[in-house]
Amino acid sequence: ETGVTQSPTHLIKTRGQQVTLRCSSQSGHNTVSWYQQALGQGPQFIFQYYREEENGRGNFPPRFSGLQFPNYSSELNVNALELDDSALYLCASSGWGDNYEQYFGPGTRLTVT
Amino acid sequence: GIQVEQSPPDLILQEGANSTLRCNFSDSVNNLQWFHQNPWGQLINLFYIPSGTKQNGRLSATTVATERYSLLYISSSQTTDSGVYFCAVGRVGGSQGNLIFGKGTKLSVKP
């Protein structure tokens, strides 16, 4: 069984640029969620994708957008990067139904300068 | 929205000691998970426990959903147990993937 994978591991961008982060869900999972974790804080929910559509969103502006592909992998896109976007970005996957358990990937650490 | 409070925020133990971490939440939940975050940021699943009691080796957890709290027990702690422990809940009626995290308990186990 393959776990959740994310790429890249680290990324450095300049304020105003755009970034794309990638996530492959655990085998057998069809739901992907993205989280942002600032230093010293707990992760915060950005949004969830199920059947290639956004299915729930946290308190993040529209410049945070995403995609889910037919193989259930996902992308997180952030436009017009700000210094406060520097964080660890975590992807989680789960099945759909009665078991809500989420499994997390290793994360992508984004630094905006 | 739902509030998740973890206590204590920091905990220092001598190797071999036992500890109890607490998570209080303010609304009905359909998901409660305990995670250990390692120094590289990976969230390791410890328990999926929206109700009841589970044990896995030196770790056990209990969730009393009617009283809105969960406890994580660590027995005979080891230095490798060091790190941040997070409780996260899913609100009834919320998105399935929307976990609300507490601020964590930072555990340091000294040799």
Side-chain angles (χ1 to χ4, degrees):
Chain A
E1 186 178 84
T2 307
V4 180
T5 60
Q6 293 186 242
S7 63
T9 306
H10 296 88
L11 204 51
I12 300 174
K13 289 286 189 178
T14 303
R15 190 172 50 184
Q17 287 187 318
Q18 178 265 344
V19 69
T20 297
L21 310 181
R22 294 178 174 82
C23 170
S24 291
S25 62
Q26 183 167 310
S27 58
H29 287 179
N30 55 13
T31 303
V32 173
S33 303
W34 286 91
Y35 291 78
Q36 180 195 67
Q37 186 177 18
L39 203 60
Q41 304 294 318
Q44 285 197 298
F45 175 71
I46 303 175
F47 44 56
Q48 170 185 286
Y49 276 82
Y50 171 64
R51 289 185 175 176
E52 302 177 48
E53 291 190 357
E54 187 179 294
N55 182 29
R57 189 178 184 95
N59 189 25
F60 281 81
R63 59 190 186 83
F64 285 79
S65 63
L67 286 172
Q68 186 181 31
F69 301 99
N71 66 353
Y72 308 125
S73 65
S74 177
E75 287 182 355
L76 165 65
N77 298 291
V78 187
N79 294 322
L81 283 167
E82 301 176 359
L83 296 179
D84 284 349
D85 295 334
S86 294
L88 180 67
Y89 288 84
L90 295 163
C91 168
S93 73
S94 69
W96 186 265
D98 292 338
N99 187 326
Y100 295 84
E101 187 170 9
Q102 305 288 316
Y103 293 84
F104 283 79
T108 293
R109 194 166 296 278
L110 173 65
T111 302
V112 182
T113 61
Chain B
I2 192 167
Q3 304 296 316
V4 181
E5 295 182 357
Q6 290 186 243
S7 60
D10 295 279
L11 187 58
I12 300 174
L13 297 175
Q14 206 65 32
E15 199 169 26
N18 303 329
S19 61
T20 301
L21 282 57
R22 186 177 180 101
C23 172
N24 293 333
F25 46 95
S26 61
D27 205 346
S28 298
V29 300
N30 55 20
N31 185 357
L32 191 145
Q33 293 185 243
W34 283 96
F35 297 94
H36 177 207
Q37 189 164 42
N38 67 21
W40 299 272
Q42 173 89 54
L43 284 169
I44 309 297
N45 288 42
L46 297 178
F47 294 102
Y48 168 67
I49 189 167
S51 63
T53 297
K54 290 185 177 180
Q55 180 156 8
N56 184 3
R58 297 182 295 104
L59 303 181
S60 63
T62 295
T63 298
V64 184
T66 53
E67 297 188 20
R68 297 183 182 168
Y69 73 88
S70 183
L71 301 174
L72 176 69
Y73 305 95
I74 304 174
S75 64
S76 304
S77 57
Q78 301 175 359
T79 56
T80 52
D81 294 333
S82 296
V84 182
Y85 289 79
F86 285 105
C87 167
V89 304
R91 181 179 59 84
V92 172
S95 300
Q96 182 167 339
N98 184 357
L99 287 177
I100 298 98
F101 282 75
K103 293 185 176 181
T105 292
K106 185 176 181 181
L107 174 64
S108 298
V109 181
K110 305 298 184 184

